[in-house]
């Protein structure tokens, strides 16, 4: 079972490398943020797999801290950039203008 856990961890590490390409080339800041969330989620999973493989329970605590930091990063991103609103929603009508959703392209 140890070999399976290590193989899964290596596969997840490869997905992080693919996510890094999205961070570097992503057309918008939202795409980059989602890729960064992938890093957090995958990192937590890799730490949990390593915790099982190496029988080191301290890695579970580190994984929990990473999970909490990923939530804080997502909330900070949404607070800074806001959520895209489709045109015709009340927020655009209130200001008397129709604005296309801002997708940072």
């Amino acid at each position: 079972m140890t070999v399976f856990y290590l193989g899964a961890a290596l596969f997840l590490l490869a997905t992080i490398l693919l996510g890094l390409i999205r961070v570097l080339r992503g057309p918008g800041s939202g795409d980059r943020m989602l890729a960064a969330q992938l890093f957090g989620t995958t990192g937590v999973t890799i730490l949990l797999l390593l915790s099982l493989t190496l029988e080191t329970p301290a890695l579970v605590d580190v994984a929990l801290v990473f999970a909490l930091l990923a939530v804080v990063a997502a909330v900070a991103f949404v607070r800074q950039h806001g959520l895209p609103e489709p045109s015709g929603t009340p927020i655009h009508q209130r200001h008397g203008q129709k604005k296309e959703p801002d997708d940072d392209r």
Side-chain angles (χ1 to χ4, degrees), residues 1-62:
M1 202 65 169
T2 301
V3 174
F4 175 74
Y5 289 151
L6 287 177
L10 286 175
F11 175 75
L12 292 172
L13 191 61
T15 63
I16 285 180
L17 292 176
L18 292 175
L20 184 61
I21 293 171
R22 175 55 66 188
V23 167
L24 294 175
R25 300 183 63 193
S29 60
D31 298 323
R32 291 184 172 117
M33 185 60 203
L34 285 176
Q37 288 296 309
L38 171 75
F39 293 166
T41 305
T42 307
V44 166
T45 307
I46 289 172
L47 284 173
L48 291 175
L49 287 172
L50 288 178
S51 172
L52 289 174
T53 302
L54 302 174
E55 296 177 2
T56 309
L59 288 177
V60 175
D61 296 335
V62 175

Side-chain angles (χ1 to χ4, degrees), residues 90-97:
I91 192 167
H92 296 297
Q93 295 170 353
R94 187 177 342 140
H95 296 292
Q97 62 183 7

Side-chain angles (χ1 to χ4, degrees), residues 60-76:
V60 175
D61 296 335
V62 175
L64 288 173
V65 170
F66 276 9
L68 289 174
L69 288 176
V71 170
V72 170
V75 169

